[in-house]
Amino acid sequence: MSDFLNSLDPRINRLNIPAEFGTTFPSKENKDQFVTFEVFVQPKENKPYQHEGIVHAPTIDMAFLFAKEQFSRRGMSCSGVWVVNTNNVKVSPITENDEDIYDFIHEEIMEGAEKGDSEKYEIFHLKKRGKQHAHVGSLDATCYEEALFKAKSQFQEEKSVLNIWVAKTKQFMKIEGEDFADIWETLPDKKYRDAMDYKATDKIKKFKAEQNA
């Protein structure tokens, strides 16, 4: 991956280890630490998805259940939820003084990129510090860098974009529309409130079956 894009996961970037120390480190015993997932919510139908926060979970299935409970409780205005592993979201640098990050994106960012088969990517913009990243669209590309370069011609606007997130569509768990609307129906044999009482598990099974098809 080029130096222009980094993982959104701060654990990947925060150490700033000097080059003379190398990049090979002794292996450590795996810890039972939960993974971080990013949660995007569609506040109303036909509105763009926006970043709402994170959840910690052992799997993407559980991450969705936690996200549903935390960010889309019954009665709240919400039409869908997307969940993706934080490490699968790549992030551009963030600009200063309202500079447009797209002005710094040129074809050279694809030099040395690991290209593969063409697939779909999701693009998110941050237009103001302190606000949420919002989904602006999808496009086909062979790598993250190409997705970012193509986003410049498709999604650059007059208003400056301070920061961009890029992620592969296939790495999201998406439940929306009618599928999302009926996850609040509780199972008939449950009388108490429990995240697993709702029909979200049916939607998760459907999502996993589609992913494995």
Side-chain angles (χ1 to χ4, degrees):
M1 182 169 294
S2 70
D3 294 335
F4 195 84
L5 282 171
N6 287 294
S7 171
L8 180 60
D9 190 337
R11 293 170 295 183
I12 304 298
N13 309 312
R14 67 186 175 194
L15 295 179
N16 294 319
I17 298 172
E20 59 265 27
F21 284 90
T23 56
T24 302
F25 304 95
S27 59
K28 292 184 178 181
E29 182 180 351
N30 290 332
K31 299 182 182 295
D32 58 350
Q33 184 176 1
F34 282 174
V35 179
T36 301
F37 293 86
E38 304 299 322
V39 180
F40 299 86
V41 169
Q42 185 180 40
K44 292 183 180 180
E45 191 174 352
N46 298 322
K47 293 288 186 180
Y49 277 79
Q50 59 190 29
H51 184 246
E52 287 296 330
I54 64 172
V55 293
H56 298 276
T59 65
I60 195 169
D61 307 39
M62 290 302 299
F64 174 79
L65 291 175
F66 294 159
K68 177 181 72 68
E69 285 297 294
Q70 186 169 345
F71 299 110
S72 64
R73 293 184 182 277
R74 186 194 297 272
M76 292 179 63
S77 178
C78 180
S79 300
V81 171
W82 294 356
V83 177
V84 63
N85 188 315
T86 300
N87 195 38
N88 292 331
V89 181
K90 308 307 176 186
V91 55
S92 76
I94 188 165
T95 61
E96 302 287 347
N97 302 320
D98 293 328
E99 293 177 309
D100 192 341
I101 187 61
Y102 279 120
D103 292 339
F104 298 89
I105 296 174
H106 307 288
E107 195 168 4
E108 287 76 14
I109 69 168
M110 290 189 288
E111 294 179 359
E114 297 180 7
K115 295 185 178 181
D117 295 333
S118 180
E119 56 185 308
K120 195 169 292 295
Y121 289 77
E122 307 293 345
I123 307 296
F124 300 85
H125 283 176
L126 177 68
K127 293 186 177 180
K128 187 176 181 180
R129 286 181 178 272
K131 296 294 185 180
Q132 299 153 298
H133 282 76
H135 183 247
V136 294
S138 308
L139 51 77
D140 293 317
T142 60
C143 62
Y144 288 99
E145 289 82 359
E146 184 179 47
L148 193 62
F149 180 68
K150 285 186 173 181
K152 180 176 182 176
S153 61
Q154 294 190 32
F155 304 125
Q156 187 175 21
E157 306 171 355
E158 290 186 8
K159 187 173 181 179
S160 296
V161 175
L162 306 183
N163 182 246
I164 304 169
W165 288 358
V166 185
K168 294 181 179 181
T169 303
K170 69 180 183 182
Q171 292 171 334
F172 284 82
M173 181 173 187
K174 299 181 178 183
I175 298 183
E176 50 199 349
E178 293 183 1
D179 283 342
F180 184 79
D182 67 8
I183 65 173
W184 290 112
E185 296 180 16
T186 54
L187 302 178
D189 58 343
K190 296 284 188 177
K191 302 299 183 183
Y192 53 88
R193 190 174 187 279
D194 186 330
M196 296 301 293
D197 291 351
Y198 299 100
K199 292 186 177 179
T201 50
D202 294 338
K203 308 307 174 186
I204 291 172
K205 290 178 181 178
K206 178 182 176 183
F207 165 80
K208 294 176 74 173
E210 291 173 348
Q211 293 294 100
N212 295 327

